[in-house]
């Protein structure tokens, strides 16, 4: 394999690996931190790293007139995504979190249809129905029993919130570029989450080293490094092909949840996950045909 092709493969593979590992890492970090504390500390760490990166790349601050929209991105893509996601992680396994979270493109397609009047083919609506059927099975199959989980609703709400970020970011992406815009969103998102930090300082002191390392990992790899690499990928490769790699993230999350946390997926949850991912794939294909 040529060096250039190898580096391209690494740039594509690492974000998927890091994001897949984020869900079991959140579950593990909950042993020492609250959901709010994990999200806040994670983005404080990522923000500090991206400050250094912004100095290296020498990109400035956003224009004042763009601040309201960037704050909206931070609210929907960071605060209203990560806080509900971590809350749901208290009762939902890592693999199920990743499968439910993978429905974000479905919410994006629905909101795009109603908000920006983006056309949706019949195959897209079929995919949406299949994906929601799969999500429903997952919501009623947490822990292997037939009982409804409100944790699943938190995660679906997180995916729904993130879809607003995906829809409205296009205009500013063309203006600032993927990496600077993502950096601004993470900075302001970290500031927004400070009021929810609770007793973060005390928790850092009292938490076990292993749970603190899990949060440190979340801030460095699935957040700062993964977002930088993802921005690079979007600039170098077709967006549709890059996005399709996200389907591998649940595989990583389920595998790590199984071997690291001892979370054995039931047959019914795997069926629900397959339907959810299959529906998303159908929606994505309908958008690009």
């Amino acid at each position: 394999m040529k060096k250039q092709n190898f580096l391209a493969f690494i740039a594509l593979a690492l974000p998927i690996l890091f994001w897949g590992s984020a869900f079991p890492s959140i579950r593990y970090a909950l042993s020492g931190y609250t959901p709010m504390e994990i999200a806040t500390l994670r983005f404080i760490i990522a923000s500090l790293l991206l400050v250094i990166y912004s100095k290296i790349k020498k990109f400035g601050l956003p224009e004042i007139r763009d601040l309201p929209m960037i704050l909206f991105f931070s609210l929907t893509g960071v605060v209203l995504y990560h806080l509900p996601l971590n809350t749901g992680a208290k009762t939902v396994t890592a693999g199920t979190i990743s499968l439910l979270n993978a429905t974000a493109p479905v919410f994006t397609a629905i909101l795009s249809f109603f908000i920006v009047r983006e056309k949706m083919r019949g195959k897209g609506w079929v995919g949406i129905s299949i994906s929601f059927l799969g999500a429903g099975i997952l919501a009623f199959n947490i822990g292997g029993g037939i009982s409804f989980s409100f944790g699943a609703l938190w995660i679906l709400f997180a995916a729904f919130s993130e879809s607003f970020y995906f829809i409205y970011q296009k205009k500013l992406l063309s203006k600032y570029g993927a990496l600077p815009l993502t950096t601004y969103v993470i900075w302001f998102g970290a500031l927004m989450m400070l009021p929810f930090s609770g007793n973060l300082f005390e928790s850092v002191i009292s938490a076990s080293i292993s749970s603190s390392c899990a949060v440190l990992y979340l801030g460095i790899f699935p957040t700062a490094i993964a977002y930088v690499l993802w921005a690079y990928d979007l600039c170098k490769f077709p967006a549709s092909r890059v996005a399709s790699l996200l389907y591998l993230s649940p595989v990583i999350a389920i595998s790590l949840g199984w071997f690291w946390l001892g979370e054995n997926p039931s047959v019914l949850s795997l069926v629900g996950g397959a339907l959810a991912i299959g529906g998303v794939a159908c929606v994505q294909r309908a958008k690009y045909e």
Side-chain angles (χ1 to χ4, degrees), residues 38-68:
I38 292 171
T40 304
L41 185 55
R42 172 181 180 175
F43 277 86
I44 289 175
I45 294 168
S47 294
L48 293 175
L49 290 174
L50 288 173
V51 166
I52 298 171
Y53 191 79
S54 68
K55 295 297 182 182
I56 296 172
K57 288 295 184 179
K58 297 180 180 179
F59 56 81
L61 296 174
E63 296 180 13
I64 294 177
R65 64 179 180 178
D66 293 327
L67 283 180

Side-chain angles (χ1 to χ4, degrees), residues 152-228:
L153 285 183
W154 278 113
I155 296 162
L156 288 172
F157 177 76
F160 173 74
S161 299
E162 189 182 36
S163 62
F164 284 95
Y165 171 61
F166 291 147
I167 291 172
Y168 286 106
Q169 69 173 332
K170 293 180 181 179
K171 183 178 180 180
L172 290 188
L173 270 176
S174 61
K175 180 176 181 178
Y176 291 104
L179 180 56
L181 181 60
T182 302
T183 300
Y184 303 146
V185 169
I186 289 177
W187 285 346
F188 286 113
L191 288 174
M192 286 182 178
M193 284 196 286
L194 287 178
F196 302 98
S197 59
N199 300 316
L200 180 58
F201 183 74
E202 290 82 355
S203 295
V204 171
I205 296 174
S206 61
S208 65
I209 294 176
S210 58
S211 59
S212 294
C213 285
V215 181
L216 183 64
Y217 172 83
L218 285 167
I220 296 174
F221 296 98
T223 310
I225 294 178
Y227 277 110
V228 169

Side-chain angles (χ1 to χ4, degrees), residues 81-95:
Y81 172 69
H82 286 277
L83 294 184
L85 184 77
N86 290 0
T87 301
K90 293 175 65 177
T91 57
V92 179
T93 64

Side-chain angles (χ1 to χ4, degrees), residues 10-289:
I10 294 298
L12 287 167
L14 286 182
I16 304 305
L17 175 63
F18 291 153
W19 284 333
S21 65
F23 303 111
S25 297
I26 292 170
R27 290 274 292 169
Y28 191 83
L30 284 168
S31 62
Y33 295 89
T34 67
M36 309 302 181
E37 291 169 348
I38 292 171
T40 304
L41 185 55
R42 172 181 180 175
F43 277 86
I44 289 175
I45 294 168
S47 294
L48 293 175
L49 290 174
L50 288 173
V51 166
I52 298 171
Y53 191 79
S54 68
K55 295 297 182 182
I56 296 172
K57 288 295 184 179
K58 297 180 180 179
F59 56 81
L61 296 174
E63 296 180 13
I64 294 177
R65 64 179 180 178
D66 293 327
L67 283 180
M69 186 57 70
I70 292 174
L71 291 173
F72 175 75
F73 294 158
S74 298
L75 178 65
T76 55
V78 176
V79 180
L80 294 180
Y81 172 69
H82 286 277
L83 294 184
L85 184 77
N86 290 0
T87 301
K90 293 175 65 177
T91 57
V92 179
T93 64
T96 303
I97 296 170
S98 65
L99 291 167
L100 290 169
N101 183 70
T103 60
V106 170
F107 288 113
T108 302
I110 295 173
L111 290 174
S112 295
F113 176 80
F114 287 105
I115 295 175
V116 298
R117 301 301 179 183
E118 185 175 287
K119 292 182 179 180
M120 175 71 71
R121 296 176 180 272
K123 183 186 290 185
W125 291 111
V126 171
I128 288 171
S129 301
I130 293 173
S131 188
F132 279 142
L133 174 61
I137 293 174
L138 289 169
F140 279 93
N141 190 53
I142 306 300
I146 308 300
S147 59
F148 185 76
S149 170
F150 284 99
L153 285 183
W154 278 113
I155 296 162
L156 288 172
F157 177 76
F160 173 74
S161 299
E162 189 182 36
S163 62
F164 284 95
Y165 171 61
F166 291 147
I167 291 172
Y168 286 106
Q169 69 173 332
K170 293 180 181 179
K171 183 178 180 180
L172 290 188
L173 270 176
S174 61
K175 180 176 181 178
Y176 291 104
L179 180 56
L181 181 60
T182 302
T183 300
Y184 303 146
V185 169
I186 289 177
W187 285 346
F188 286 113
L191 288 174
M192 286 182 178
M193 284 196 286
L194 287 178
F196 302 98
S197 59
N199 300 316
L200 180 58
F201 183 74
E202 290 82 355
S203 295
V204 171
I205 296 174
S206 61
S208 65
I209 294 176
S210 58
S211 59
S212 294
C213 285
V215 181
L216 183 64
Y217 172 83
L218 285 167
I220 296 174
F221 296 98
T223 310
I225 294 178
Y227 277 110
V228 169
L229 290 175
W230 194 252
Y232 170 82
D233 293 338
L234 289 174
C235 293
K236 293 293 183 179
F237 307 102
S240 59
R241 293 185 180 181
V242 174
S244 66
L245 293 173
L246 291 172
Y247 301 146
L248 297 176
S249 182
V251 177
I252 296 169
I254 292 171
S255 300
L256 287 176
W258 194 347
F259 291 106
W260 182 17
L261 304 176
E263 297 175 347
N264 299 321
S266 67
V267 174
L268 193 56
S269 66
L270 292 176
V271 171
L275 288 172
I277 297 297
V280 171
C282 189
V283 171
Q284 292 291 87
R285 178 170 293 183
K287 287 176 64 177
Y288 293 106
E289 283 183 348

